[in-house]
Amino acid sequence: MMWNKRELQRKIEEWLQEDVGFGDVTTMSTIPESEQGVGILYAKEAGIVAGLPIAEQVFATVDSTLVFEAKVEEGARVEVGQQIAEVSGSVRSILSGERLALNLMQRLSGIATKTSEYATAVAGTKARVVDTRKTTPGLRALEKYAVRVGGGYNHRFALYDAVMIKDNHIKGAGGIAQAVAAARAVIPHTMTVEVEAESFEQVQEALEAGADTIMLDNMSLDQMVEAVQFINGRAVVEASGGVSLETIGDIAKTGVDIISVGALTHSVKAFDISLDLNTRKR
């Protein structure tokens, strides 16, 4: 897992406050306090399941007496109608936690499913599919976790854990060489430096400046092949921009090491999961 459990607990409490507030008035007014039941979570489409431990923590936060049981492994591929998990105990508690648990699982499972499609498209090449910082505010750790569940890899987590020199940094610093030198002067030796290159000339400059990774930004396939051959293993090569399921296979064949895909997180479709309730009065 890639998140801090205490931090996630704090967020879950905030999210429940947003959704439940002073109480689930519909559930409290229609369901007897003594009502017990089982909520069955099942898939309404085929794909990769992600977020089971998060859903379990949501229900535990609502009511510590609820019992959550996963019916598949995290990261498993499921088919339409397949049972994913069940949660048993107070019906009031199950219904109060249902929406938040489903919202999170649907989002994360959608990301994992999409990532799996991209990872499959580059199978047989050395290219890794990685995410970007184009994530939902407040959900970055969970969304990047879902990428890994789906078979992808993570780029830098945030602005603080790696140097990525892009076009505006280059303009502000007065050039690639100046930007790289300025960064090297202040960062620890353990931190990497990546440079975005929009042309072959910038690839040359980035390599001469000592970049650890060179990002080929919106280049054609022929330009990528030329850049990969020129770099020749002296830096990690990343391809970015205009990447889709239709194009990623050909991009991978150019020999790049990394392909970053913003679509894994910024515009993914939620995976359809539902909860059906079976009650047992006591």
Side-chain angles (χ1 to χ4, degrees), residues 65-281:
T65 68
L66 290 177
V67 177
F68 184 91
E69 182 182 356
K71 297 298 184 180
V72 298
E73 295 290 329
E74 181 82 334
R77 179 170 291 279
V78 296
E79 301 303 323
V80 178
Q82 186 171 345
Q83 186 174 339
I84 297 172
E86 68 175 38
V87 56
S88 56
S90 164
V91 170
R92 283 188 172 186
S93 299
I94 292 170
L95 295 182
S96 294
E98 172 188 3
R99 179 44 50 203
L100 177 57
L102 289 183
N103 281 351
L104 291 169
M105 277 201 69
Q106 289 180 145
R107 176 70 182 170
L108 301 187
S109 297
I111 291 170
T113 299
K114 179 62 68 177
T115 302
S116 178
E117 294 173 356
Y118 275 86
T120 299
V122 303
T125 72
K126 69 174 183 177
R128 284 185 170 190
V129 176
V130 306
D131 53 29
T132 69
R133 284 171 43 246
K134 296 175 182 177
T135 55
T136 308
L139 289 179
R140 180 169 295 172
L142 297 185
E143 292 184 346
K144 281 181 170 285
Y145 161 77
V147 167
R148 295 193 68 87
V149 171
Y153 296 83
N154 299 137
H155 209 295
R156 62 177 176 164
F157 185 82
L159 294 173
Y160 54 71
D161 59 350
V163 173
M164 182 184 289
I165 298 169
K166 306 186 81 172
D167 55 349
N168 286 329
H169 301 107
I170 293 168
K171 292 175 185 175
I176 290 175
Q178 294 92 325
V180 172
R184 292 283 189 208
V186 296
I187 63 173
H189 70 281
T190 54
M191 189 173 287
T192 58
V193 175
E194 179 167 358
V195 174
E196 178 185 84
E198 298 177 342
S199 66
F200 184 74
E201 291 71 29
Q202 287 192 327
V203 169
Q204 291 176 304
E205 290 177 45
L207 191 61
E208 291 171 2
D212 300 296
T213 301
I214 299 175
M215 177 197 289
L216 310 181
D217 184 45
N218 284 293
M219 290 191 181
S220 68
L221 295 175
D222 288 341
Q223 288 174 315
M224 289 184 201
V225 170
E226 182 182 17
V228 168
Q229 291 175 347
F230 173 75
I231 294 169
N232 193 28
R234 291 175 288 175
V236 175
V237 184
E238 176 182 339
S240 183
V243 181
S244 67
L245 276 173
E246 291 70 37
T247 63
I248 194 169
D250 288 334
I251 293 172
K253 291 174 184 175
T254 65
V256 297
D257 303 296
I258 302 294
I259 305 175
S260 52
V261 186
L264 300 182
T265 55
H266 71 56
S267 57
V268 73
K269 173 183 172 291
F271 186 79
D272 200 357
I273 300 173
S274 190
L275 184 150
D276 276 355
L277 182 69
N278 295 324
T279 62
R280 52 178 191 272
K281 289 191 173 80

